[in-house]
Amino acid sequence: MIIGVADTTFARANMGAFAVDELKKHTSARIIRVTVPGVKDLPVAAKKLIEEEKCDIVMALGMPGGKDQDKICAHEASQGIMMAQLMTNKHIIEVFVHEDEAKDDAELAWLLEQRTREHAVNAVLMLTRPQDMTKLAGTGQRQGFADAGPARR
Ligand code: RDL
Ligand code: RDL
Ligand code: RDL
């Protein structure tokens, strides 16, 4: 099994390093990492990891900035990531942290790391233990900030 990790130089923390570190805690799968300038470069990077490097699943890591043009950019990147998944029939776990989700740089740094690590666990579960993912169905999981939890307690 091979897991791909694609991240960006635009992000304000080393999301790829967090992903690789977390993946290694949960799996002995081979990891292939690639870095591109920004989120719009992630779809083809992920598709190449799947088609050329034979990855079974890919994490696409990026940080949309807070401005309107960044949000449009992120929406386009997201559509590209979706298209790459449909073209390859493989999951690409999109880990986006919007810069304006955090109240300051310290919280942003924390969120970039925490969401990446939690989605790395999701990627491993989806690839190797999908039944454990189903055990979490409907439990209001979130990545980074606190889980929402189930509606009925
Ligand atoms: O292909 C080169 C760039 O167009 C590409 O790297 C873009 O994703 C870069 N980029 C923007 O041009 C932009 O307006 C990014 C953002 N906003 C952004 O918010 N986050 C990014 N890239 O990762
Ligand atoms: O590929 C990993 C995630 O990007 C993907 O699971 C998203 O669907 C998760 N997600 C968001 O990132 C988000 O901003 C969800 C929501 N909002 C949402 O409102 N409902 C979801 N997922 O089911
Ligand atoms: O309910 C609060 C947040 O979950 C909500 O604001 C999400 O939209 C935040 N969010 C993103 O904006 C995003 O791009 C999340 C993800 N990705 C994600 O992958 N997982 C989240 N939230 O829990």
Side-chain angles (χ1 to χ4, degrees):
M1 261 175 320
I2 312 177
I3 301 178
V5 172
D7 72 347
T8 70
T9 57
F10 190 101
R12 297 183 58 212
N14 194 335
M15 299 176 81
F18 301 140
V20 171
D21 182 68
E22 191 66 29
L23 289 168
K24 284 183 171 167
K25 292 182 188 170
H26 303 280
T27 176
S28 54
R30 217 178 118 206
I31 298 166
I32 301 178
R33 180 178 174 186
V34 64
T35 303
V36 295
V39 288
K40 282 205 275 188
D41 311 307
L42 289 172
V44 72
K47 185 166 173 282
K48 283 163 70 72
L49 282 166
I50 292 165
E51 292 183 347
E52 295 174 11
E53 305 294 338
K54 308 296 173 206
C55 289
D56 300 287
I57 194 165
V58 170
M59 295 183 71
L61 313 165
M63 191 208 73
K67 301 209 169 83
D68 280 353
Q69 62 263 39
D70 296 324
K71 292 181 193 303
I72 292 169
C73 194
H75 180 255
E76 286 163 349
S78 212
Q79 289 190 307
I81 288 170
M82 236 69 81
M83 209 181 296
Q85 293 182 84
L86 296 172
M87 289 172 83
T88 58
N89 232 13
K90 301 277 189 217
H91 283 289
I92 299 169
I93 301 299
E94 180 196 286
V95 186
F96 279 8
V97 172
H98 297 259
E99 196 171 14
D100 57 9
E101 281 184 77
K103 63 177 184 304
D104 55 31
D105 277 5
E107 187 175 73
L108 179 63
W110 171 83
L111 186 58
L112 285 160
E113 176 164 0
Q114 190 62 27
R115 183 167 295 159
T116 300
R117 288 187 182 278
E118 291 187 37
H119 270 314
V121 175
N122 282 335
V124 172
L125 290 185
M126 287 169 72
L127 186 61
T128 64
R129 286 182 284 144
Q131 68 280 10
D132 286 354
M133 198 72 190
T134 300
K135 284 183 193 153
L136 294 171
T139 57
Q141 297 295 310
R142 298 293 185 270
Q143 295 75 34
F145 294 122
D147 295 339
R152 186 181 282 143
R153 311 254 170 187

